[in-house]
Amino acid sequence: MDRYVCTVCGYIYDPKEGDMDSGIAPGTSFEDIPDDWLCPLCGVPKSDFEKES
């Protein structure tokens, strides 16, 4: 599964870790995160993330 990077603050969403503080379980792909999820560090929407190259 691909990792995604916040283009604003650099937070990396790693599907192996998920985002437990937001209720996203480990093993959840970025595509399966709800569209209203926000970056846990800076609060921007999911649309401000890009696939890590």
Side-chain angles (χ1 to χ4, degrees):
M1 284 188 277
D2 295 315
R3 295 174 5 144
Y4 282 75
V5 180
C6 177
T7 60
V8 175
C9 74
Y11 170 81
I12 297 173
Y13 175 76
D14 186 343
K16 293 177 189 166
E17 297 176 11
D19 178 16
M20 293 303 291
D21 291 340
S22 298
I24 308 298
T28 303
S29 70
F30 189 77
E31 293 80 7
D32 290 337
I33 295 173
D35 289 336
D36 61 353
W37 177 79
L38 301 174
C39 176
L41 294 185
C42 70
V44 298
K46 181 178 170 183
S47 59
D48 285 340
F49 280 69
E50 294 180 350
K51 188 189 289 191
E52 186 177 55
S53 54

